[in-house]
Amino acid sequence: MPRFILSRAAAAGIDPNRLAREAGMPTWLLADDNARVPSEFYPRLWELLEHEVGDQDTTLRMVGGYRVGALGLFDYLISTADTLGEGLAVVGPYVGSVSTNFRMDPGEQTETESTFNLYMINAEGRGRDLSVQSSLGILVSRIRQVTGRPVDPVSVAFRQNAPQRHDAFTEHFGTARVDFGAPVDSMTYRLSDFDLPQVTADPMLAAVLRRYAASMPPPPPHATEWPDRVAAGLEHELREGEPALDQVARRLFTSPRTLQRRLAESGTTWSMEVDRARKRHLEQLDAADARATESQFADPDRE
């Protein structure tokens, strides 16, 4: 995904190597086409590219040049399916083949429409906004290409604040129903669109690719599972000593303030999670001591 940004930068006459260096990407990552790039580089590159071009619509204009195949295995998993619905069905299970920082889940369903919700784990601010724009923008471009038809979504919703103008959004997505300040990033299509055949279908290749993709990293946890992620971080910190908010936040690639906000959105707090973690830690220690005692008395050779 970062290489897609760099390729679009090069097409716009911007030095991709310089952009990568400014983002902090090691040079060896650029030389290895099979390397998995840390997730923080993706939103950072979009931010740098927008600043370089000086246009708030840079991301949408850049994804307008997307062509199926640019994202490798992930694109081919979708494009080789028989119908659009079957192709979209592989997005959730196999998104880990292209990124472990995104998750796409089914949203609200009606008798005539279906919504996909997009969740991004490790990103905040403008970089997150641009990353979501790119992901949904690429998805709609891919749908038009694999069906060979000008299929437009019914509506698109973004968590980001409304920009000063959004003509680029309505132009790219093909719908006037573009909402901002939404509780979740999402896109809605007509159910009838899912029956459309894909001009890129290849059932035999699809079967091979899915077997291969099954060995790739799984999708990240849902955005509302922050307490579970914090629990894992606290477990590690408690083994080392007293847990600290900034240490756990750093382990989860976020800021202390954002971490506290995520926990509040999940109906809990930092102090509550620390108390729960301490209780679990003590229970684990007690259980370990009990097993050690049982083992000692069960061994006849032990004095």
Side-chain angles (χ1 to χ4, degrees), residues 189-302:
Y189 274 90
R190 301 169 187 82
L191 286 176
S192 57
D193 291 334
F194 297 162
D195 294 327
L196 293 173
Q198 296 196 147
V199 298
T200 52
D202 188 334
M204 293 183 65
L205 179 57
V208 173
L209 293 177
R210 292 180 192 182
R211 285 196 297 271
Y212 174 72
S215 66
M216 301 296 287
H222 191 286
T224 58
E225 293 177 359
W226 277 87
D228 292 337
R229 301 181 65 205
V230 169
L234 283 169
E235 181 178 355
H236 180 276
E237 294 297 327
L238 281 168
R239 289 198 297 266
E240 302 296 323
E242 187 67 13
L245 174 61
D246 60 342
Q247 292 174 332
V248 174
R250 190 160 51 248
R251 179 175 295 277
L252 299 180
F253 304 102
T254 188
S255 68
R257 182 176 179 181
T258 297
L259 179 56
Q260 290 177 309
R261 185 173 74 249
R262 295 300 190 196
L263 290 174
E265 292 171 352
S266 300
T268 185
T269 65
W270 166 255
S271 60
M272 290 172 62
E273 292 306 311
V274 171
D275 289 340
R276 289 172 181 153
R278 283 175 175 151
K279 182 179 179 181
R280 287 192 300 269
H281 186 63
L282 290 174
E283 289 173 348
Q284 291 170 357
L285 291 176
D286 291 340
D289 289 340
R291 287 194 298 270
T293 301
E294 290 174 359
S295 176
Q296 180 179 358
F297 284 104
D299 187 350
D301 296 329
R302 186 182 297 272

Side-chain angles (χ1 to χ4, degrees), residues 155-205:
S155 62
V156 187
F158 294 93
R159 282 178 51 192
Q160 72 172 83
N161 294 328
Q164 294 179 344
R165 64 181 193 282
H166 26 87
D167 50 306
F169 287 84
T170 56
E171 178 182 349
H172 182 82
F173 291 101
T175 175
R177 290 180 56 186
V178 180
D179 299 320
F180 298 93
V184 64
D185 300 295
S186 65
M187 190 154 58
T188 301
Y189 274 90
R190 301 169 187 82
L191 286 176
S192 57
D193 291 334
F194 297 162
D195 294 327
L196 293 173
Q198 296 196 147
V199 298
T200 52
D202 188 334
M204 293 183 65
L205 179 57

Side-chain angles (χ1 to χ4, degrees), residues 52-70:
E52 186 83 16
V53 177
D55 181 2
Q56 70 167 17
D57 298 327
T58 296
T59 298
L60 289 177
R61 299 194 195 287
M62 291 295 179
V63 299
Y66 158 85
R67 294 294 178 267
V68 171

